[in-house]
Amino acid sequence: MSDPMRKALNIADLRRLARRRLTKAVFEFCDRGSEDEIAMRDNRAALDGIKLLPRVLTNVSARDPGITLFGKKHALPLVIGPTGIAGWVWYRAEVALARAAAAAGIPFTLASTSSTAMEKVLAEGGGTQWFQLYVWRDAEAALTTVARARDAGFEALVLTVDSPTYNNREFDIRNGANFPPRVTLQSAIDGLTHPRWLVGTIGRYLLAEGRLPRFPNIYFPPEAAAEKDYTAGKVAGFMSRNDTLDWDYLRRVRDLWPRTLIVKGILHPDDAVKAAACGADGIIVSNHAGNVLDAAAIPIEMLPHIAAAAGNRLTIIVDSGFRRGSDVLKGLALGADAVAIGRAALYGVGAAGEAGARRAIAIFDAEIRRTMANIGVRDIASLSRDNVVLPGHVPSFGAPKDGLSAPGANETRPFTVIQR
Ligand SMILES: Cc1cc2nc3c(=O)[nH]c(=O)nc-3n(C[C@H](O)[C@H](O)[C@H](O)COP(=O)(O)O)c2cc1C
């Protein structure tokens, strides 16, 4: 039987399929950004403005897009980033995403606001799995979750530090996207007009578990833990983000976590250096896909500065807006060791569960390999600043040292903020 997912030629096609299947509220939760969506737009504009500079006649018949990340080999320079809503997009989407990542040989990050128990995702998903932690109102309680993820066996902990308070997501407020949700006339109409989602996702939860998805990976204090207390009000109160976190807290997490520790949501080079000083092994350079601070700096623009400041001390992953294999190669050329994807994988799983997630990764795989050929690169390690042209900075090349060597023209040019 032919795979219907093959008709999705790119991530934008998967997005369209997901949009058709999901309710407006769930789709916009995945798809839209905070406030005026300026960060979201500029994440894309910055990536689009960077050009790749092909080198020719390099015999690219044997291309390897594999990387080594934290001492482990992976088939692609990609990571599936944490997306808390995944369980509302597809029944047990976390397992589907983990399986797709495992099949492709890339790491999967389970969000703390996921709706499948972390132990189950680890057991059923397989592969390389990382656990992402948000710190809620009770910062001590969050350390309980760190210990649980450690005992469960996650290979890395990803501590998200860019969300000290609630995001101003006006689209969600208008759509009434509350978690746990309340049934309103608006949400009932939205659900009933999307029967594939209503039956295939919500119906399956109700059939299998007799209830809607919850948050089994967040430690609730005793007064909120009992099922009868699991009301929107109490959960929302307990889940208020914690605005007291500081570098000492990161040090405490470091002391508790024996394996790879990654700090997610770094945009300033000095913060990258501080994260390294606190013992982090890696960082994710991110503006949270434009979901938090709409006026945030753009990760791909900050990346070269961060790589210059801390690249020799930290593994650097970048995200926010990556939709094409060529985007991934731009990130790697500008100093990242890997690129994380959020929405691209969500669109896939929202369109068709594990098959859709596999398709999303396969699209990146094909695009990365094709782009490597087109720019004359055989392996990821040989990507450098010489492979990119930054906006407004067409390199001026001196005479090559010898007839066949590359000029290395980009090395001396400072990275400048993109003019729009
Ligand atoms: C719907 C959605 C939910 C997300 N949930 C989380 C989360 O629970 N924890 C977190 O650290 N980041 C979360 N993120 C941010 C992603 O991990 C990642 O930084 C971002 O999606 C990358 O940009 P991209 O979506 O353009 O690929 C979420 C992003 C989206 C779109």
Short mmCIF file of all heavy atoms in Angstrom, two decimals, residues 29-30 81-85 111 113 132 134 160 264 286 288-289 291 319-323 340-343 346, ligand 1:
data_model
loop_
_atom_site.label_atom_id
_atom_site.label_comp_id
_atom_site.label_asym_id
_atom_site.label_seq_id
_atom_site.Cartn_x
_atom_site.Cartn_y
_atom_site.Cartn_z
N PHE A 29 -2.98 26.85 18.69
CA PHE A 29 -2.06 26.69 19.83
C PHE A 29 -0.69 26.22 19.32
O PHE A 29 0.36 26.67 19.78
CB PHE A 29 -2.62 25.69 20.85
CG PHE A 29 -1.82 25.64 22.11
CD1 PHE A 29 -2.17 26.43 23.20
CD2 PHE A 29 -0.72 24.81 22.22
CE1 PHE A 29 -1.42 26.40 24.37
CE2 PHE A 29 0.04 24.77 23.38
CZ PHE A 29 -0.31 25.58 24.46
N CYS A 30 -0.72 25.31 18.34
CA CYS A 30 0.54 24.79 17.78
C CYS A 30 1.21 25.80 16.86
O CYS A 30 2.44 25.87 16.78
CB CYS A 30 0.28 23.54 16.95
SG CYS A 30 -0.40 22.19 17.86
N GLY A 81 12.39 18.86 19.48
CA GLY A 81 12.28 19.68 20.68
C GLY A 81 11.00 19.39 21.44
O GLY A 81 10.09 18.72 20.93
N PRO A 82 10.92 19.89 22.68
CA PRO A 82 9.74 19.62 23.49
C PRO A 82 8.55 20.49 23.08
O PRO A 82 8.68 21.70 22.91
CB PRO A 82 10.20 20.01 24.90
CG PRO A 82 11.26 21.06 24.68
CD PRO A 82 11.92 20.73 23.38
N THR A 83 7.39 19.87 22.91
CA THR A 83 6.16 20.63 22.64
C THR A 83 5.06 20.08 23.53
O THR A 83 4.58 18.96 23.35
CB THR A 83 5.74 20.54 21.15
OG1 THR A 83 5.77 19.19 20.73
CG2 THR A 83 6.66 21.36 20.27
N GLY A 84 4.67 20.91 24.50
CA GLY A 84 3.78 20.44 25.54
C GLY A 84 2.41 19.99 25.08
O GLY A 84 1.81 19.10 25.67
N ILE A 85 1.94 20.54 24.02
CA ILE A 85 0.57 20.27 23.58
C ILE A 85 0.45 18.95 22.82
O ILE A 85 -0.67 18.50 22.53
CB ILE A 85 0.09 21.43 22.67
CG1 ILE A 85 -1.37 21.28 22.22
CG2 ILE A 85 0.95 21.56 21.45
CD1 ILE A 85 -2.34 21.51 23.32
N ALA A 111 8.30 16.88 26.70
CA ALA A 111 7.97 18.09 27.45
C ALA A 111 7.38 17.75 28.81
O ALA A 111 6.68 16.74 28.95
CB ALA A 111 6.96 18.92 26.66
N THR A 113 5.00 19.23 30.18
CA THR A 113 3.54 19.32 30.09
C THR A 113 2.98 18.31 29.07
O THR A 113 1.97 18.57 28.42
CB THR A 113 3.09 20.74 29.70
OG1 THR A 113 3.86 21.17 28.59
CG2 THR A 113 3.22 21.72 30.84
N GLN A 132 12.38 17.49 29.21
CA GLN A 132 12.40 18.95 29.39
C GLN A 132 11.65 19.33 30.66
O GLN A 132 10.56 18.83 30.93
CB GLN A 132 11.73 19.63 28.18
CG GLN A 132 11.59 21.14 28.32
CD GLN A 132 10.26 21.57 28.89
OE1 GLN A 132 9.26 20.87 28.76
NE2 GLN A 132 10.23 22.72 29.56
N TYR A 134 9.96 22.40 32.97
CA TYR A 134 9.54 23.75 33.36
C TYR A 134 9.50 23.76 34.87
O TYR A 134 9.12 22.76 35.49
CB TYR A 134 8.11 24.04 32.89
CG TYR A 134 7.96 24.57 31.49
CD1 TYR A 134 6.97 24.07 30.66
CD2 TYR A 134 8.77 25.59 31.02
CE1 TYR A 134 6.79 24.56 29.38
CE2 TYR A 134 8.60 26.09 29.75
CZ TYR A 134 7.61 25.58 28.93
OH TYR A 134 7.44 26.07 27.66
N THR A 160 14.23 24.52 30.77
CA THR A 160 13.79 25.70 30.01
C THR A 160 13.79 26.93 30.91
O THR A 160 13.17 26.92 31.97
CB THR A 160 12.39 25.46 29.40
OG1 THR A 160 12.46 24.31 28.56
CG2 THR A 160 11.93 26.65 28.59
N LYS A 264 17.77 25.53 28.01
CA LYS A 264 17.02 25.93 26.81
C LYS A 264 16.47 27.35 26.94
O LYS A 264 15.83 27.68 27.94
CB LYS A 264 15.86 24.96 26.57
CG LYS A 264 14.97 25.31 25.39
CD LYS A 264 14.00 24.19 25.09
CE LYS A 264 13.16 24.45 23.87
NZ LYS A 264 12.09 25.43 24.09
N SER A 286 17.42 29.85 21.56
CA SER A 286 16.01 29.77 21.17
C SER A 286 15.26 31.00 21.62
O SER A 286 15.56 31.56 22.68
CB SER A 286 15.41 28.53 21.87
OG SER A 286 14.01 28.47 21.72
N HIS A 288 11.98 30.37 21.67
CA HIS A 288 10.77 29.61 21.96
C HIS A 288 9.78 29.72 20.78
O HIS A 288 8.56 29.80 20.99
CB HIS A 288 10.14 30.13 23.26
CG HIS A 288 9.50 29.07 24.11
ND1 HIS A 288 9.98 28.72 25.35
CD2 HIS A 288 8.40 28.31 23.92
CE1 HIS A 288 9.19 27.80 25.88
NE2 HIS A 288 8.23 27.52 25.03
N ALA A 289 10.34 29.79 19.59
CA ALA A 289 9.52 29.88 18.36
C ALA A 289 8.61 31.11 18.34
O ALA A 289 7.59 31.13 17.66
CB ALA A 289 8.66 28.62 18.19
N ASN A 291 6.96 32.23 20.91
CA ASN A 291 5.80 31.98 21.78
C ASN A 291 5.86 32.74 23.09
O ASN A 291 4.92 32.69 23.87
CB ASN A 291 5.70 30.49 22.11
CG ASN A 291 5.08 29.69 20.99
OD1 ASN A 291 4.52 30.26 20.07
ND2 ASN A 291 5.18 28.39 21.06
N ASP A 319 17.18 26.60 17.69
CA ASP A 319 15.85 26.35 17.14
C ASP A 319 15.14 27.67 16.88
O ASP A 319 15.72 28.73 17.04
CB ASP A 319 15.03 25.40 18.05
CG ASP A 319 14.45 26.06 19.30
OD1 ASP A 319 14.38 27.30 19.40
OD2 ASP A 319 14.04 25.30 20.20
N SER A 320 13.90 27.56 16.44
CA SER A 320 12.98 28.66 16.17
C SER A 320 12.90 29.00 14.68
O SER A 320 13.72 29.77 14.16
CB SER A 320 13.31 29.93 16.98
OG SER A 320 13.24 29.65 18.37
N GLY A 321 11.96 28.38 14.03
CA GLY A 321 11.66 28.72 12.64
C GLY A 321 12.25 27.79 11.60
O GLY A 321 12.08 28.05 10.40
N PHE A 322 12.89 26.70 11.99
CA PHE A 322 13.55 25.83 11.01
C PHE A 322 12.52 24.93 10.33
O PHE A 322 11.82 24.17 10.98
CB PHE A 322 14.64 24.99 11.70
CG PHE A 322 15.82 25.81 12.13
CD1 PHE A 322 15.75 26.62 13.25
CD2 PHE A 322 16.99 25.82 11.37
CE1 PHE A 322 16.83 27.42 13.63
CE2 PHE A 322 18.07 26.61 11.74
CZ PHE A 322 17.98 27.42 12.87
N ARG A 323 12.40 25.07 9.02
CA ARG A 323 11.38 24.34 8.26
C ARG A 323 11.95 23.56 7.07
O ARG A 323 11.24 22.81 6.43
CB ARG A 323 10.33 25.31 7.70
CG ARG A 323 9.58 26.13 8.71
CD ARG A 323 8.54 25.31 9.45
NE ARG A 323 7.83 26.13 10.39
CZ ARG A 323 8.26 26.40 11.63
NH1 ARG A 323 9.39 25.87 12.08
NH2 ARG A 323 7.57 27.19 12.43
N ALA A 340 17.11 22.00 16.55
CA ALA A 340 15.90 21.39 17.10
C ALA A 340 14.68 21.88 16.33
O ALA A 340 14.62 23.04 15.92
CB ALA A 340 15.76 21.72 18.58
N ILE A 341 13.72 20.98 16.16
CA ILE A 341 12.47 21.37 15.50
C ILE A 341 11.31 21.17 16.47
O ILE A 341 11.27 20.20 17.22
CB ILE A 341 12.22 20.59 14.19
CG1 ILE A 341 12.34 19.07 14.41
CG2 ILE A 341 13.18 21.04 13.10
CD1 ILE A 341 11.83 18.24 13.25
N GLY A 342 10.39 22.13 16.45
CA GLY A 342 9.19 22.03 17.29
C GLY A 342 7.97 21.87 16.41
O GLY A 342 7.43 20.77 16.24
N ARG A 343 7.56 22.97 15.78
CA ARG A 343 6.32 22.94 14.99
C ARG A 343 6.38 21.94 13.84
O ARG A 343 5.39 21.27 13.58
CB ARG A 343 6.03 24.33 14.42
CG ARG A 343 5.59 25.31 15.49
CD ARG A 343 4.89 26.52 14.88
NE ARG A 343 4.44 27.40 15.94
CZ ARG A 343 5.13 28.43 16.41
NH1 ARG A 343 6.30 28.73 15.89
NH2 ARG A 343 4.65 29.17 17.38
N LEU A 346 5.35 18.75 15.08
CA LEU A 346 3.94 18.80 15.53
C LEU A 346 2.98 18.74 14.34
O LEU A 346 1.94 18.10 14.40
CB LEU A 346 3.68 20.09 16.29
CG LEU A 346 3.76 20.09 17.80
CD1 LEU A 346 3.27 21.43 18.33
CD2 LEU A 346 2.98 18.95 18.43
C1 LIG B 1 2.89 24.27 20.51
C2 LIG B 1 4.24 24.42 21.12
C3 LIG B 1 4.44 23.93 22.43
C4 LIG B 1 5.71 24.08 23.01
N1 LIG B 1 5.91 23.58 24.27
C5 LIG B 1 7.13 23.72 24.84
C6 LIG B 1 7.37 23.17 26.13
O1 LIG B 1 6.51 22.56 26.75
N2 LIG B 1 8.61 23.36 26.65
C7 LIG B 1 9.60 24.04 25.99
O2 LIG B 1 10.71 24.18 26.51
N3 LIG B 1 9.39 24.52 24.75
C8 LIG B 1 8.19 24.37 24.18
N4 LIG B 1 7.99 24.87 22.91
C9 LIG B 1 9.11 25.46 22.17
C10 LIG B 1 9.83 24.40 21.37
O3 LIG B 1 10.51 23.48 22.19
C11 LIG B 1 10.88 25.03 20.43
O4 LIG B 1 11.68 25.92 21.17
C12 LIG B 1 10.25 25.75 19.26
O5 LIG B 1 9.02 25.17 18.90
C13 LIG B 1 11.20 25.74 18.08
O6 LIG B 1 10.71 26.51 17.01
P1 LIG B 1 9.88 25.91 15.79
O7 LIG B 1 8.55 25.49 16.33
O8 LIG B 1 9.76 27.01 14.83
O9 LIG B 1 10.66 24.73 15.28
C14 LIG B 1 6.75 24.72 22.30
C15 LIG B 1 6.52 25.18 21.00
C16 LIG B 1 5.28 25.03 20.41
C17 LIG B 1 5.09 25.51 19.00
#
